Amino acid sequence: MEFDRQQLETALMRREHKYLPLSLHVFDTVASTNLTVWDLLEQGAASGCVVIATQQTAGRGQWGRQWSSFGGGLYLSVAIAPQLEASNSYQLTLALCWGIAKQLRKCGVNVGIKWPNDLVLSSRKLGGILTETKVHKGKITQAVVGVGINWSNSVPETGINLKFWQAKEGKGVIDSLEMLALEVLLGIEFGVECLCEKGVNILLSDYLNLLTNMGDKVDIKNHSGTVVGVTSTGELRIKMQTSDNNTVITPEICLQPGTISLGYKGRLE
């Protein structure tokens, strides 16, 4: 699938507010868009460097998982320099999920967020985000944000592609891979600006409104709990049941990303 770089560049130049100095690098196929951005940074590229590919041969998800990156999807990575404390690294993924979801919802795509880093549509996975960082003296000095969105590519049973969904719903606001890339980049820019300029608490309540896991029941070490939110540092808040009279159970616990898998049982409005 050919990607029209000029079309996207023209659209980006027309945006009213430019927070990130986005510069495009477009490829048919790369091993990984994240790795390609890191390579370009090593060669002197600046923050705002964007790599887009329509296929990856060695795509990666969270925690080293393989990300299937078939032709027809959008695979995009952006270099940013957020200057966040290293202890707040998950705020970046939180803000970016929120920013992209908000931007897609402006286009009539009712995207929700599945903690910690998935974008969901009709209770199935539309895409995901992989954030990688470099830390110096306790601060994130450089980050690369990778985003994969299903456009017209084949997907597993738990996935959904946007082109199919729009045809089924009779919607077609996003009519090309280039426009999808534009909306994702606008969402990244929006999320980064809000986080860096206003702080995570400004967007957190709205993030929770989009969180599909709210109210989900989970089992932790043979005890039941309910998802009640996410902390400002990206941890999942779970309210535990306290009916066991023989054991003292903390009423609410917080879990780091990667310590529990929530599956695809979330609800979308």
Side-chain angles (χ1 to χ4, degrees), residues 30-171:
V30 297
S32 157
T33 55
N34 268 30
L35 284 175
T36 305
V37 171
W38 284 120
D39 287 344
L40 290 170
L41 289 171
E42 287 289 326
Q43 296 167 30
S47 291
C49 171
V50 178
V51 168
I52 297 173
T54 53
Q55 189 168 348
Q56 297 179 114
T57 58
R60 295 174 295 161
Q62 289 279 17
W63 307 291
R65 295 170 182 158
Q66 183 179 1
W67 174 272
S68 296
S69 310
F70 301 113
L74 174 68
Y75 312 107
L76 175 156
S77 295
V78 185
I80 57 177
Q83 297 298 320
L84 286 173
E85 297 291 332
S87 57
N88 293 332
S89 61
Y90 282 116
Q91 289 184 358
L92 197 51
T93 299
L94 185 153
L96 292 166
C97 279
W98 171 78
I100 294 170
K102 290 289 285 185
Q103 192 66 35
L104 292 177
R105 290 173 77 91
K106 287 181 182 179
C107 300
V109 184
N110 295 324
V111 175
I113 298 168
K114 185 178 85 68
W115 182 86
N117 68 315
D118 283 0
L119 300 169
V120 292
L121 183 62
S122 297
S123 299
R124 293 194 284 170
K125 183 170 182 174
L126 177 67
I129 294 173
L130 173 65
T131 305
E132 298 174 327
T133 60
K134 285 187 177 179
V135 175
H136 180 67
K137 293 184 178 179
K139 288 205 169 190
I140 298 171
T141 56
Q142 188 72 67
V144 172
V145 179
V147 181
I149 304 283
N150 298 321
W151 171 243
S152 62
N153 52 296
S154 59
V155 295
E157 186 178 351
T158 55
I160 190 169
N161 71 50
L162 183 55
K163 191 172 184 179
F164 169 82
W165 180 86
Q166 287 190 139
K168 184 179 179 182
E169 296 292 320
K171 298 180 179 181

Side-chain angles (χ1 to χ4, degrees), residues 163-231:
K163 191 172 184 179
F164 169 82
W165 180 86
Q166 287 190 139
K168 184 179 179 182
E169 296 292 320
K171 298 180 179 181
V173 176
I174 298 175
D175 60 6
S176 66
L177 195 60
E178 292 81 7
M179 185 172 179
L180 176 59
L182 172 66
E183 299 303 336
V184 168
L185 287 170
L186 291 176
I188 289 172
E189 192 171 46
F190 180 49
V192 169
E193 181 177 16
C194 187
L195 177 64
C196 294
E197 300 297 323
K198 299 178 182 177
V200 69
N201 290 324
I202 295 297
L203 60 89
L204 187 58
S205 62
D206 195 35
Y207 171 95
L208 294 176
N209 288 334
L210 303 182
L211 188 66
T212 64
N213 305 109
M214 291 290 278
D216 281 2
K217 304 298 181 182
V218 296
D219 290 316
I220 300 171
K221 296 181 179 179
N222 297 319
H223 294 291
S224 297
T226 303
V227 175
V228 294
V230 173
T231 70

